[in-house]
Amino acid sequence: MEWLTLLPPFIAIIIAIWKKEVILALFSALFVAELLLKELNPALGFLSVFDRIVEVFANPGNTRILIFSLLIGVLLNLIKKSGGVAAFVSWITEKGLASNQRRVSAMPALLGVLIFIETNLSILTAGFIARDLFDKVKMSRARLAYIIDSTCAPICVIILFNAWGAYLLGLLENYQLEKPAELLIYSIPFNIYSWVTLALVFYTVWTGRVFGPMNNSEKQQIAVQVEGKRDSIQASHISLMLVPLLTMIAGIVFFMWYTGNGEILKGSGSQSVLWSVSLACAVAFLMVRFSTKTQHKATTLIKWSFDGMSELLPLVTTVLLALALGASMKGLGTGEFVSQMVSNNLPLWSVPALIFVSASVISFTTGTSWGTFGILIPIGVPIALSNGIPVEIILAAVVGGGVFGDHCSPISDTTIVSSLAAGCDHLEHVKTQLPYALIAGGISIISFIVIGTVVT
C-alpha cells in the first residue's frame, strides 16, 4: 500500500486546480497525510494536523523563514508608502531605462543573475524593484513572476558559490570521491534544465513574446491595470527605497560571512536572511521617520508595518502549511517510494533520464528541491559508481530535476516566494510558468537519454 504515500500531493494539486485555493488544498493534503500516519483514524488525524503545524516552529530555520516573510511585508509597505518606490520609477523613467518592455524585463533577469548568493533574496529584490515598472510598460505580474522564478533558482545551481553549492558538497563528501568539488563543477555543463530555462527567459526578455496561458493572463491583467485607479502615493526620494534594499543585500553577504566564521559558503542562510531583512526594516523605519520630505509619525509607521504584514499573511500561511506538509510526507516516505519506483531494474542508458524524472516527481510532490537532493544523491551516486556512469552526469540530473519539479509545483516554497515578490496570484504564476518549464524539462529528458546512450 506504499502507493498511498502519493495521495497527499495529488490531493493538494487536484483541489488547487479545482477550487483555485492553495491554502485549502494544502490543509486538505496535510489532513490526508496525517490520516495515513494515524492509520486512518480521522479524529487523531485531524488533531495531528495542528501538532504538525506547531512542530514547524520547532525548527529554527523554518521559524526564521516565516518571520522573514512577515518582515518582507513590513519592508515593502514602508518603502512603498514613503514614496520611495514612486521616486525610483520616476528616476528610471527620466533616465530612459524604462523606455520599453525589453529594458524593463531585462532588469529583474539581470538582478537574478547578479544576486546569486541566495535564492529568496534574489527573487524578492528583483521582484520588488520591477513591480511598478512592469505596470508602467503594461506587462503582467505573471510575466514578472516567471522571469524571477526561472532566473534565480537556475542561476543558483549554475553559479555554485552559495548555500546550494555548500549543501551539495556536503552531500557528496559522504562518499569516497577523490575531488567532490571538481565533480560539482564538472556537473554544471550537464545541468541541461537550468541552461534551457535561462535561455527561454532571455528569449522572452529580448523578443517580448509570450505564449500559452501567459499570453491570456497578460491581456487580462493589462486590462485590469488600464481600468484600475493609479496609485496616488507621491514620489519622495529614491534613497528611501534603494538604501533599505542595499542594506538587505549587503547584510546577507556580511551575515553569511559572520555566521560562517569567515567562510560565506558555510554561513547560515536562514539566519542571514532574517537578520538582513530585520536590519533593512529598521533602516527604512528610521529613514522614513526622520526624512525631511516625509516626517511621518512613529504611530503611522507602525500601522504601515502591520498593514504590510497583513497583506502577506495569506502567503505566509501558505508557506507554513507547505512546510508542515513536507514534514508529513517525509514521515510517510513519499520521496523514497518514488525514487525506488524509478531506480529498480533500469537499463544503464536510461539511468540519467530516469534519475532526472525521479527528481522532478519528488520535488513536484514534496515542494522542495533541497529535500529531493537529500533523497536522491545517496541513491544516484552509488548507482553511478557501481555501474561506471560519470557521477557528474547523475549529479546534474538530480539537481536539474529538483529545480524542474520546483518550478511546476504549486506547493514549492520558491514558487510561493516568486508569487509574493511579483505581487501575482500564486496559481496564476504556476499555470503561466508551466509550459515554459515543461519545454525545458522535455529537452532535458531527451538530452539525458542521448548522454546516457553515449556514456554507457
Side-chain angles (χ1 to χ4, degrees):
M1 299 293 284
E2 289 181 329
W3 61 271
L4 285 174
T5 63
L6 296 174
L7 192 57
F10 285 148
I11 291 289
I13 293 160
I14 289 169
I15 293 179
I17 294 171
W18 175 36
K19 292 292 186 180
K20 300 188 184 303
E21 177 51 64
V22 179
I23 291 177
L24 176 62
L26 288 171
F27 188 87
S28 301
L30 180 58
F31 171 69
V32 171
E34 292 301 321
L35 186 65
L36 293 172
L37 287 169
K38 296 301 179 182
E39 300 178 348
L40 303 181
N41 185 315
L44 290 178
F46 181 75
L47 295 175
S48 187
V49 165
F50 298 96
D51 288 339
R52 183 70 70 179
I53 291 172
V54 171
E55 286 175 8
V56 170
F57 296 95
N59 183 316
N62 290 341
T63 306
R64 292 187 194 109
I65 289 170
L66 295 169
I67 297 174
F68 159 77
S69 300
L70 287 173
L71 290 178
I72 280 294
V74 174
L75 179 62
L76 178 60
N77 211 39
L78 285 175
I79 62 177
K80 180 181 178 181
K81 292 283 190 180
S82 70
V85 174
F88 177 77
V89 171
S90 298
W91 180 80
I92 287 287
T93 304
E94 289 172 5
K95 297 295 182 181
L97 299 177
S99 57
N100 56 51
Q101 292 187 346
R102 181 184 296 171
R103 289 186 176 184
V104 171
S105 56
M107 186 177 299
L110 293 174
L111 282 171
V113 173
L114 293 172
I115 310 173
F116 59 84
I117 193 166
E118 210 281 328
T119 316
N120 287 340
L121 175 71
S122 177
I123 289 171
L124 289 164
T125 304
F128 289 165
I129 286 178
R131 273 182 171 192
D132 286 7
L133 293 173
F134 267 62
D135 294 345
K136 189 176 183 63
V137 296
K138 296 183 173 58
M139 289 191 294
S140 70
R141 295 289 183 88
R143 189 193 295 208
L144 174 58
Y146 159 67
I147 289 174
I148 59 178
D149 196 1
S150 292
T151 300
C152 298
I155 278 294
C156 282
V157 295
I158 287 176
I159 305 175
L160 288 164
F161 296 101
N162 49 37
W164 293 68
Y167 175 56
L168 291 168
L169 193 58
L171 292 174
L172 288 176
E173 286 175 349
N174 294 324
Y175 305 94
Q176 294 181 345
L177 301 169
E178 287 187 10
K179 297 178 179 179
E182 285 189 9
L183 286 175
L184 199 58
I185 294 171
Y186 292 153
S187 73
I188 293 173
F190 295 104
N191 194 340
I192 311 297
Y193 177 78
S194 296
W195 288 113
V196 175
T197 298
L198 288 172
L200 286 172
V201 168
F202 282 97
Y203 168 81
T204 302
V205 168
W206 183 257
T207 64
R209 295 175 182 171
V210 293
F211 59 86
M214 180 81 75
N215 192 34
N216 297 330
S217 177
E218 190 101 344
K219 293 175 183 177
Q220 293 170 4
Q221 292 192 33
I222 288 171
V224 171
Q225 290 168 12
V226 170
E227 293 171 5
K229 294 180 179 179
R230 287 291 178 183
D231 199 333
S232 60
I233 297 174
Q234 187 176 359
S236 55
H237 197 277
I238 190 174
S239 63
L240 293 174
M241 172 182 167
L242 290 186
V243 173
L245 286 179
L246 289 174
T247 299
M248 184 172 69
I249 295 169
I252 192 170
V253 175
F254 172 77
F255 289 127
M256 286 286 285
W257 171 83
Y258 176 75
T259 56
N261 294 319
E263 297 184 46
I264 290 179
L265 292 181
K266 293 183 179 179
S268 169
S270 62
Q271 273 187 317
S272 302
V273 167
L274 178 59
W275 291 350
S276 64
V277 76
S278 301
L279 181 60
C281 284
V283 169
F285 189 98
L286 293 173
M287 286 186 70
V288 177
R289 174 68 183 86
F290 296 107
S291 170
T292 54
K293 287 195 173 185
T294 55
Q295 286 290 319
H296 293 290
K297 295 180 179 179
T299 52
T300 301
L301 301 185
I302 291 171
K303 182 181 181 301
W304 288 356
S305 299
F306 279 105
D307 288 344
M309 288 186 189
S310 66
E311 287 179 10
L312 293 192
L313 194 56
L315 279 168
V316 174
T317 304
T318 303
V319 174
L320 173 62
L321 291 175
L323 291 170
L325 179 59
S328 290
M329 288 194 293
K330 184 177 181 181
L332 283 172
T334 303
E336 289 83 352
F337 173 62
V338 172
S339 62
Q340 287 172 7
M341 282 196 305
V342 176
S343 62
N344 290 336
N345 303 314
L346 302 176
L348 287 182
W349 61 267
S350 69
V351 169
L354 289 174
I355 288 289
F356 176 86
V357 171
S358 181
S360 304
V361 174
I362 293 171
S363 181
F364 179 79
T365 53
T366 60
T368 167
S369 52
W370 280 43
T372 300
F373 303 158
I375 291 168
L376 268 187
I377 285 178
I379 294 172
V381 171
I383 290 175
L385 292 173
S386 61
N387 292 282
I389 302 173
V391 174
E392 57 267 28
I393 292 174
I394 297 300
L395 185 60
V398 173
V399 172
V403 176
F404 172 43
D406 238 11
H407 280 165
C408 298
S409 177
I411 61 174
S412 160
D413 56 348
T414 307
T415 308
I416 293 168
V417 171
S418 298
S419 304
L420 180 158
C424 172
D425 177 78
H426 179 56
L427 291 180
E428 190 74 15
H429 169 44
V430 174
K431 180 178 70 175
T432 53
Q433 180 169 253
L434 189 59
Y436 295 89
L438 291 175
I439 289 172
I443 292 172
S444 300
I445 292 170
I446 295 170
S447 300
F448 278 120
I449 289 174
V450 173
I451 292 170
T453 303
V454 172
V455 299
T456 58

